Amino acid sequence: MSASPSSFPSSSPFSSSSRPFAQTLRRNLVNPVALGYLAIVLAVCAWVAVDAIFVDHSGDASFAGLWIGVVTAPTSFFISSPIALLGPVLPPSLAFLNVVLLLIAIPVSALVQGFGLGALYRWFTDRTPRANTSAA
């Protein structure tokens, strides 16, 4: 059984409406849940950058960079897996391209997840409350 677009509630983020894409994007990204998530991702990225630049590891590798993948998981895994497969295929003169694509994957995956969290938040907050039919 497949769900037709008309079977979704009108407040569903999956419903086809006359709203332009930019308005839908703004509506789902500018709310407390999505902005809070994006703030956490930004804070983790800042912490990793400070750790990579200013902390002397004296030969030990820091695993702080893995936290970026953790806070943007699972979307970052789906985006970065095909990019990581490009590494051995690229010639040495284009090895920087793999790093650039992985750095672009971080904000893209954060925005995708922020959009999903914002859509979920809007779905819960835009629903009309049901009348209490239980006898008290």
Side-chain angles (χ1 to χ4, degrees):
M1 178 176 176
S2 66
S4 65
S6 62
S7 66
F8 290 115
S10 62
S11 64
S12 170
F14 307 109
S15 65
S16 60
S17 65
S18 61
R19 278 188 281 178
F21 177 73
Q23 184 179 3
T24 303
L25 188 66
R26 183 179 59 238
R27 183 164 197 241
N28 289 330
L29 282 177
V30 182
N31 60 58
V33 174
L35 290 176
Y37 170 73
L38 292 174
I40 290 170
V41 171
L42 185 63
V44 168
C45 288
W47 170 60
V48 168
V50 167
D51 183 67
I53 294 171
F54 295 114
V55 176
D56 181 26
H57 297 291
S58 65
D60 281 340
S62 174
F63 287 106
L66 293 177
W67 282 103
I68 296 173
V70 169
V71 297
T72 58
T75 309
S76 62
F77 298 142
F78 292 123
I79 294 175
S80 64
S81 295
I83 295 171
L85 294 175
L86 283 176
V89 177
L90 292 174
S93 62
L94 294 177
F96 71 94
L97 188 61
N98 197 16
V99 175
V100 170
L101 290 175
L102 286 172
L103 287 175
I104 291 171
I106 294 168
V108 168
S109 60
L111 287 173
V112 166
Q113 291 210 164
F115 182 85
L117 288 170
L120 190 64
Y121 171 79
R122 289 290 179 193
W123 183 75
F124 276 116
T125 58
D126 289 348
R127 294 189 320 173
T128 57
R130 293 183 181 177
N132 190 359
T133 58
S134 63

